[in-house]
Every structure is written in C-alpha cells, then in structure tokens.
C-alpha cells in the first residue's frame, strides 16, 4: 500500500499520447476543467489520479505532473475498450441514463467486462491509497468501484459523483444488473448528482424498493431513506444494507472562469470577418452525440430559412461537432444525418462564397474554441437530455460584457441555473424555432434586455464556479468521515 491521502478515480487519466516530429511518442498531462478544479486539492494532499490513459493496450509508467500529482494508469485492452467502454458504458448506460433517446443494448458479455474493469480500477486504487485516504470516484463508467472498494478497504472515505443524469426509477428498472449498480453506488459515503431532480430520482428508487420487504424487485430492500435531496448540502441519507449512512445531494458542476478570460480580440475580429461581419452568427459546439440535438437545431434553422423567418444572407451558423465514440452505430447514424442536413441546407440556401452552415467535424484547440464563443451572437444549445452542459456555461463566461444571447434546452442541467436564456423544448420544433428567432430578434430589438439577461447568467456562472463544486462535494465528504 502506498501513501496517497487523496485519490481521484476517473475512466480517463488526464494525459495525452503525443508524437514528436522524429516519431517518438510521449505522454503529457492534459489539463481540463476537472483537473484544474482538483489540482489544488491533489497537490496539497499527496494526490493521485487513477484512470485509463485513453489508448488501448498501451499505458505509461506512473508519473508525477509539474504540480506534484501522481498519474497512475489502468490499462485497458482493445477487448475491454469494446465491451466495457463502447459497449456497457456507452451503448447501455449512456442511452438508459439519457432517457432512452436511443434504445440501450443489454449484453451479458458487456456486463462481465464492466464488472471486471471496475474491479481492476478498485485494485489499482487499493495499491495507491494510504490508510484512511479519501477517494473520489467519477462517473457512470465506474459505478461499481465504491462498492468493491468498501469491501476491500473499509478504512477509506469514498465519494462518488455522476456527471450524467440519473433516470427515473421506472426507466432504471430496465437494467438487468440494477441491483449490483445500486449496491455499487451505496458503497460510497456521499453520492453526488448535478441536479436535485437526479438525486430525487435516486432517492425515489431507493425508497420505492425499501418498502417492499423481501420483495422480488431484484433491488436491495434493506435500507431506509431519511430527508430530502438538496443542493450542495447533504440533507438526505440512505442507510445501506450494512448499516452505513450514505449522504445524497446535488452539486451542479461548473467551469473554471480563469481558463477562459484571455480572448485574442484580433483573432475574434478575423473570424467575424471570415464568417460575414454583418450577419448574425449562430454557434453550436458539441461532442457529436445523439443526446445533443444537433440535427434538430439544424432542422429548426432550415425551417426558419424556408419560412422566411430568417434570411439566408442575414445568418451564418457554425456547428463545431467534436468526433466522439465513432465506432458505435448510433453515433455513426447521427453523424450521417447531421452531415446530410448540413449539405441539404447549404444546397438550398447558400450562395457562392456564403454557406449558411459551416460544419467542423474536428476538435479545436481551446483558444480557437474560445474565439468562436466570443464571436458568436447566439449560442444554440439544444440537447434532449444533458447532465449539465459546460458549453453553455463557457459561452456565458465569455460574455461578461452582456453581448450575445443563448438558446438553451430545458433538458440541459444548466437550464436550472441559466433560466435567463431563451429556453426551448428541443422535442418541439416550434419551440426550438421560436427560441432561435427570439434570441436573434432580442439582440436587435431589445438589446438592453438581452444584455441584462446575459449579465445575470454571467454573474451566476462566475459565482458558482468549478472550485465551488469541488469544495462543496469535498466538504460533504469530510463531514461524512
Ligand atoms: C459530460 C456530461 C456534463 C467541445 N468541443 C471541443 C471542446 N469541447 C469541450 C467543451 C466542454 C466539453 O468539451 C464538453 O462538455 P459538456 O458538459 O458540454 O458535455 P459532455 O462532454 O457530454 O460532458 C455533461 C459534463 O460531463 C461535466 O460533468 O456537463 O452533461 O454529458 O468543456 O469546451 N474542447 C476543445 N475543442 C473542441 O473542439 N478544446
């Protein structure tokens, strides 16, 4: 056993494999919101991050970052990648937890792989965690880790945070391995969700089965629930079957605003010039995922152009769609449908030298992405379901001067805090169209009101940043010790 007092466990290790000009490969630390938020805690407490480095059948030796954080890899084979990651995590749990936007596949072989890989992660944590350490497990790929670790290491304090929604009990019950997942989660001392509604779903699930003494629900039946879910403070407790008290609450994740402040104004001006300085610039930024509603927003745009509500010469739509989970069938279908729509819209409404839709199926460097945020008049965020949606918060954080406007789906977790956006129901084409038109017109007709709305959202995001998220969760965990 080694001496790390604070261990973060996530599917991905924050590293990238880079290839130099001479062909030599090197692993380098890659910062991101979660890493930035947790680095101070990790540095101060002999911290260690356990995760998969992102390349199958390859893993670096453990190494320390410049901040003194130990990165400890868990290697996955290509078979693990297919069955644990692409299979159970992303073709079973992902669609189930996003309210069945596509139908989940329930495969016993994938479940085996999920169990095996979760076990392997727990074994690695056991190797690096000091006696009495605090372990924070992240996300849906690792829901069994708290339960396995609890058995292996009762000395640990264990937190779990779910970055995606938790579905209603009626949907969750579909999962053939629901009992094991609930048991796995209840190995934690604190379980965190983005929204109170997610925490309520989990508590309702637990409550509904606790009343069925000796029932045949296939779910553990010997726990009690007290209290109600709340935000950033534990008021609800579940008593697990081994008699421990497990705290449940909501901790809305956010961004690191200091990561976004430096926008290169000349670059933004050049972008505007290239895209048409006089047009209204609408922007979508998403992983190319069927949950994000990219096709539906393009369809809404197309109808608005066809109706004449928007004139093709007055608008430019930029869709940045970062490649994601490309070997999974539903992702391939979504990509085809999106690309067909882009082609169709440009075919119908573009003129030479002015495409209405610019589509980038690429991952852009952060400063480039930020320049797009700064340049955009209207950010269009229309997921069918989203745990939070950091893109919405990043856009708002870039517009502290009150410029810009945002169309936001009611079904994004971010809508709970950013209710000054032009909210829409992406399942309802009329609602999506209306919100886009209102945002475009709001900028022109009622600029003061629109600016006021942006400033209010900006204040919300700046005051409730990712540090607050991490600190609130870790404070709860400390109290649970
Ligand atoms: C999951 C949940 C929850 C996107 N394109 C590029 C790029 N990005 C960055 C964005 C943002 C991140 O990726 C995407 O985060 P989201 O929150 O929007 O969405 P998911 O990836 O689905 O994240 C979500 C989140 O976890 C955190 O808990 O909010 O609900 O689904 O930061 O900026 N970054 C760069 N180039 C790109 O092209 N550099």
């Amino acid at each position: 056993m080694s001496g790390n007092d604070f261990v973060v466990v996530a599917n991905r290790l924050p590293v990238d494999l880079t290839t130099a000009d001479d062909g030599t490969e090197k692993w380098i630390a890659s910062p991101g919101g979660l890493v930035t938020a947790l680095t101070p805690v990790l540095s101060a407490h002999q911290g260690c991050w356990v995760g998969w480095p992102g390349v199958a059948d390859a893993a670096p030796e453990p190494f320390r970052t410049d901040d003194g954080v130990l990165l400890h890899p868990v290697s996955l084979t290509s078979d693990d990648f297919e069955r644990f990651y692409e299979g159970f995590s992303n073709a079973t749990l992902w669609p189930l937890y996003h309210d069945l936007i596509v139908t989940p596949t329930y495969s016993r072989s994938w479940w085996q792989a999920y169990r095996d890989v979760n076990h392997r992660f727990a074994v690695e944590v056991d190797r690096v965690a000091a006696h009495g350490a605090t372990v924070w497990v992240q996300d849906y790929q690792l829901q069994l880790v708290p339960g396995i670790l609890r058995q292996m290491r009762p000395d640990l304090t264990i937190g779990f945070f779910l970055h995606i929604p938790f579905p209603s009990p009626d949907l969750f019950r579909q999962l053939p391995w629901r009992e094991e997942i609930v048991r796995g989660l209840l190995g934690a001392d604190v379980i965190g969700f983005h929204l109170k509604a997610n925490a309520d779903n989990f508590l309702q699930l637990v409550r509904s089965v606790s009343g069925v003494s000796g029932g045949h629900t296939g779910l553990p039946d010997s726990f009690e629930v007290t209290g109600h879910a709340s935000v950033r403070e534990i008021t609800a407790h579940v008593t697990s079957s081994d008699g421990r008290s497990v705290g449940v609450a909501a901790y809305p994740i956010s961004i690191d605003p200091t990561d976004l402040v430096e926008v290169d104004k000349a670059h933004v001006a050049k972008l505007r010039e290239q895209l048409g300085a006089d047009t209204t610039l609408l922007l979508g930024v998403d992983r190319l995922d069927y949950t994000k509603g990219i096709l539906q927003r393009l369809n809404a745009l197309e109808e608005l152009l066809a109706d004449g509500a928007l004139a093709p010469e007055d608008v430019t739509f930029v869709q940045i769609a970062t490649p994601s989970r490309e070997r999974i069938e539903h992702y391939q279908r979504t990509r085809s449908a999106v690309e067909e729509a882009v082609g169709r819209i440009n075919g119908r409404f573009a003129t030479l030298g002015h495409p209405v839709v610019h589509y980038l199926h690429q991952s852009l460097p952060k400063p480039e992405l930020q320049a797009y945020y700064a340049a955009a008049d209207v950010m269009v965020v229309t997921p069918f379901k989203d745990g939070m949606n950091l893109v919405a918060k990043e856009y708002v954080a870039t517009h502290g001067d009150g410029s810009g406007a945002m169309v936001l789906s009611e079904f994004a977790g971010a809508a709970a805090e950013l209710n000054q956006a032009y909210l829409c129901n992406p399942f309802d084409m009329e609602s999506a169209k209306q919100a886009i038109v209102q945002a475009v017109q709001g900028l022109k007709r009622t600029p003061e009101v629109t600016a006021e709305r942006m400033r209010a959202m900006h204040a919300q995001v700046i005051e409730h940043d990712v540090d607050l998220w991490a600190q609130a969760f870790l404070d709860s965990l400390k109290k649970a010790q």
Side-chain angles (χ1 to χ4, degrees):
M1 198 186 298
S2 163
N4 298 284
D5 292 326
F6 181 56
V7 181
V8 173
V9 197
N11 176 56
R12 271 294 257 120
L13 200 62
V15 292
D16 284 322
L17 183 61
T18 57
T19 311
D21 290 343
D22 64 3
T24 50
E25 292 189 327
K26 196 175 168 204
W27 295 95
I28 54 160
S30 65
L34 200 56
V35 187
T36 318
L38 297 178
T39 295
V41 196
L42 284 159
S43 305
H45 293 93
Q46 290 245 12
C48 176
W49 188 302
V50 175
W52 174 53
V55 180
D57 302 309
E61 286 302 308
F63 70 99
R64 252 179 222 287
T65 66
D66 294 343
D67 297 309
V69 179
L70 180 65
L71 300 182
H72 185 93
V74 179
S75 56
L76 296 187
T77 64
S78 30
D79 181 62
D80 295 329
F81 181 73
E82 273 175 37
R83 295 191 301 137
F84 153 76
Y85 182 72
E86 294 184 320
F88 199 80
S89 298
N90 289 319
T92 304
L93 294 174
W94 181 269
L96 177 65
Y97 284 28
H98 286 87
D99 291 358
L100 314 183
I101 296 163
V102 304
T103 305
T105 301
Y106 299 118
S107 151
R108 284 165 285 187
S109 154
W110 292 355
W111 164 247
Q112 282 289 346
Y114 185 83
R115 266 197 351 204
D116 292 350
V117 172
N118 271 250
H119 191 264
R120 226 177 299 152
F121 269 81
V123 167
E124 294 304 326
V125 175
D126 177 37
R127 285 177 61 189
V128 299
H131 184 82
T134 295
V135 178
W136 191 2
V137 184
Q138 310 284 329
D139 226 356
Y140 63 103
Q141 303 93 346
L142 301 177
Q143 293 171 100
L144 301 180
V145 170
I148 301 167
L149 269 183
R150 177 68 55 199
Q151 299 272 324
M152 293 169 101
R153 292 286 301 275
D155 59 294
L156 301 176
T157 301
I158 305 168
F160 179 87
F161 186 81
L162 186 70
H163 288 261
I164 65 175
F166 192 81
S168 83
D170 275 353
L171 297 186
F172 184 81
R173 281 207 183 88
Q174 286 192 2
L175 188 66
W177 308 281
R178 56 201 187 177
E179 183 180 359
E180 288 90 336
I181 296 281
V182 172
R183 277 216 197 96
L185 292 171
L186 289 175
D189 295 289
V190 172
I191 305 174
F193 300 89
H194 283 310
L195 302 184
K196 190 178 162 327
N198 304 145
D200 281 336
N201 279 347
F202 180 74
L203 292 171
Q204 204 188 322
L205 174 76
V206 172
R207 230 179 246 125
S208 67
V209 293
S210 60
V212 191
S213 172
H216 301 287
T217 57
L219 285 162
D221 59 1
S222 55
F223 39 63
E224 270 173 49
V225 179
T226 55
H228 299 279
S230 71
V231 180
R232 296 196 191 89
E233 197 187 332
I234 296 221
T235 48
H237 290 269
V238 178
T239 306
S240 69
S241 47
D242 56 354
R244 287 174 312 105
S245 175
V246 180
V248 175
Y251 305 87
I253 202 167
S254 191
I255 58 154
D256 176 11
T258 59
D259 208 30
L260 288 164
V261 283
E262 292 296 325
V263 183
D264 180 349
K265 291 206 169 65
H267 187 59
V268 176
K270 191 164 160 236
L271 254 185
R272 285 296 323 213
E273 198 59 40
Q274 284 173 324
L275 291 165
D278 299 331
T279 65
T280 300
L281 178 59
L282 298 111
L283 175 68
V285 175
D286 316 76
R287 273 185 314 95
L288 210 169
D289 193 300
Y290 51 80
T291 59
K292 303 288 184 182
I294 303 170
L295 177 64
Q296 285 62 26
R297 84 181 64 129
L298 288 169
N299 288 341
L301 175 73
E302 185 175 16
E303 282 201 12
L304 288 169
L305 293 166
D307 295 349
L310 294 178
E313 61 276 16
D314 291 341
V315 288
T316 304
F317 193 105
V318 174
Q319 176 64 54
I320 299 165
T322 313
S324 182
R325 304 172 193 170
E326 294 200 284
R327 300 193 324 167
I328 301 174
E329 195 193 337
H330 284 296
Y331 287 78
Q332 293 168 356
R333 277 201 225 152
T334 303
R335 180 177 172 190
S336 300
V338 163
E339 295 183 351
E340 192 186 309
V342 171
R344 194 181 58 240
I345 297 169
N346 281 333
R348 287 181 76 184
F349 299 106
T351 49
L352 214 59
H354 178 56
V356 185
V357 183
H358 294 256
Y359 168 74
L360 302 180
H361 183 243
Q362 303 161 22
S363 178
L364 302 182
K366 200 107 206 171
E368 185 75 14
L369 185 63
Q370 221 172 304
Y372 276 101
Y373 285 144
D377 297 307
V378 180
M379 188 78 212
V380 190
V381 185
T382 53
F384 292 124
K385 191 81 185 174
D386 216 330
M388 177 55 65
N389 195 293
L390 292 178
V391 164
K393 291 191 171 181
E394 287 163 7
Y395 178 75
V396 164
T398 316
H399 287 260
D401 59 356
S403 61
M406 186 160 66
V407 171
L408 180 61
S409 161
E410 293 163 22
F411 298 97
E417 291 169 84
L418 305 180
N419 55 9
Q420 295 284 312
Y422 293 89
L423 294 176
C424 74
N425 170 6
F427 295 93
D428 174 359
M429 178 65 87
E430 290 305 325
S431 165
K433 284 169 68 180
Q434 197 180 31
I436 292 172
V437 167
Q438 282 175 343
V440 171
Q441 290 183 346
L443 284 169
K444 291 188 181 139
R445 296 186 189 162
T446 53
E448 296 81 16
V449 177
T450 309
E452 213 31 67
R453 292 168 75 150
M454 278 305 290
R455 282 196 211 100
M457 293 195 285
H458 183 262
Q460 169 70 23
V461 171
I462 300 303
E463 278 164 31
H464 301 88
D465 64 5
V466 73
D467 277 338
L468 178 66
W469 169 77
Q471 283 315 322
F473 186 91
L474 291 171
D475 283 352
S476 293
L477 204 48
K478 207 170 202 165
K479 286 182 196 148
Q481 277 173 340

